Amino acid sequence: MPTSILLVGAGAVGAFYASRLDTVPDVEVSVVCRSNYEVVNASGFDVESSMYGSYRYLPKLVFGSTQEATGSGITWDYIIVCTKALPDVSDDSALLEGLVVNETAIVLMQNGLGIEELYRKRFPRTTILSAVTLISVAQTSPGIIRHYRWTRVSTGPYLPSNQPSKTYATKRNAGFVAMLKAGGIEDVGAYDHATMQLARWHKTAINAAMNPSSVLSGGASNYAMSTDSELLRHLEAVINEVLTTAAKVVALPPPKEFPNAETFLNSARSQASDGKPSMWHDWETGKEM
C-alpha cells in the first residue's frame, strides 16, 4: 500500500515540500488549499526552483477544506500541517478533527514556540512530529511557486511526559526523514525532543530578525538586508540575542550544523535574490501576522 500524506496549508512552503514528497515511489500526496484552491484544483502547481528546475506538480487529490478531506474516507499515514501558526487567533488543531486515526502521525512544519501543545491536548494518543524549515520560497500568484534557495529541515518527535512510545515516534520520524531525502531534500536533521525544541528557537531567532525588519524597511529582500551595513548589524544583534536566550531556556548547546548569525547572514548575501520573508507578503496582502 502506498504511504498516504495529507498536507494542510498548501501555500508556498507546503506546496514546495508536497511537490518533492510526491516524487517518492509509493507515496501519494494530497493537499488542502485555501485561497489558491480553484487554480490548483484545475491545473496543479507550477514550481520554479533554483535547485530542482521547473516542473508541474499535480497532487493526488485537492481539497478545499479539511472537512472535505474527512469526507474522502482516506486513512492518512502522515498529516503535514503547514499553516501559519497563530495560536492567539485560532486553534488550528481543530482542523484535524475526523482526519486523525491511530496510525496517523501529525507533522507540524510551522514556526513558533510551544505550538505543539494544542495538538497534544486534542490528540493525546497520536504521534506528533515537530518540524521547522529554513527555506526561501514564495507563491508569486495562485499555484505558482518560486523556490529561491535553502531546503533545511529539522524534525523530531514531540515527547513531553505521557506521550506515545518514544521508540514508535522516533520510527515515524525516521520514516518522514527518509521520504524527504528520497524526494531530493538532502539537508534534513533528525533530532530528539530537547534538541528539536532548540531548533525551534533557532528558527525563531532568524524569523525575529528577518521578518519584521523586511516589513519595517519597506519590503527589503533577504539579500538587500544582509548587504546593508546598518541593517546587518541589527540583524546579527537580534539573532544573537534570541540564541543566547535559547541556550539558557533549553539548557543545551546548539548542534554544530545549526548556522550561527554570521554563517546565516553570509549565506543570505552570497547570492543576489529578490526573495523576501513571508511576513512581508502577509503585510502586503493584509493577512494576520
Side-chain angles (χ1 to χ4, degrees), residues 47-62:
V47 182
E48 179 185 342
S49 170
S50 61
M51 298 174 67
Y52 305 98
S54 298
Y55 57 94
R56 175 160 290 186
Y57 161 50
L58 299 173
K60 175 72 174 177
L61 295 168
V62 179

Side-chain angles (χ1 to χ4, degrees), residues 3-83:
T3 298
S4 295
I5 297 176
L6 179 66
L7 188 136
V8 179
V13 172
F16 173 77
Y17 281 113
S19 77
R20 300 315 308 162
L21 289 166
D22 191 68
T23 66
V24 182
D26 294 321
V27 171
E28 296 179 346
V29 186
S30 299
V31 300
V32 176
C33 296
R34 291 181 178 175
S35 60
N36 56 358
Y37 169 75
E38 290 187 6
V39 170
V40 176
N41 190 44
S43 54
F45 293 96
D46 286 314
V47 182
E48 179 185 342
S49 170
S50 61
M51 298 174 67
Y52 305 98
S54 298
Y55 57 94
R56 175 160 290 186
Y57 161 50
L58 299 173
K60 175 72 174 177
L61 295 168
V62 179
F63 301 108
S65 66
T66 52
Q67 290 86 352
E68 186 181 342
T70 301
S72 71
I74 296 173
T75 297
W76 306 103
D77 297 297
Y78 290 87
I79 298 177
I80 305 174
V81 181
C82 288
T83 57

Side-chain angles (χ1 to χ4, degrees), residues 146-187:
R146 186 174 180 190
H147 171 229
Y148 301 98
R149 59 186 316 180
W150 299 315
T151 56
R152 170 68 183 172
V153 177
S154 301
T155 179
Y158 183 67
L159 291 169
S161 60
N162 300 319
Q163 282 300 98
S165 164
K166 177 180 179 180
T167 300
Y168 182 71
T170 302
K171 179 180 178 181
R172 298 306 303 274
N173 190 63
F176 180 55
V177 169
M179 288 188 294
L180 287 171
K181 290 186 175 181
I185 307 298
E186 298 179 358
D187 191 8

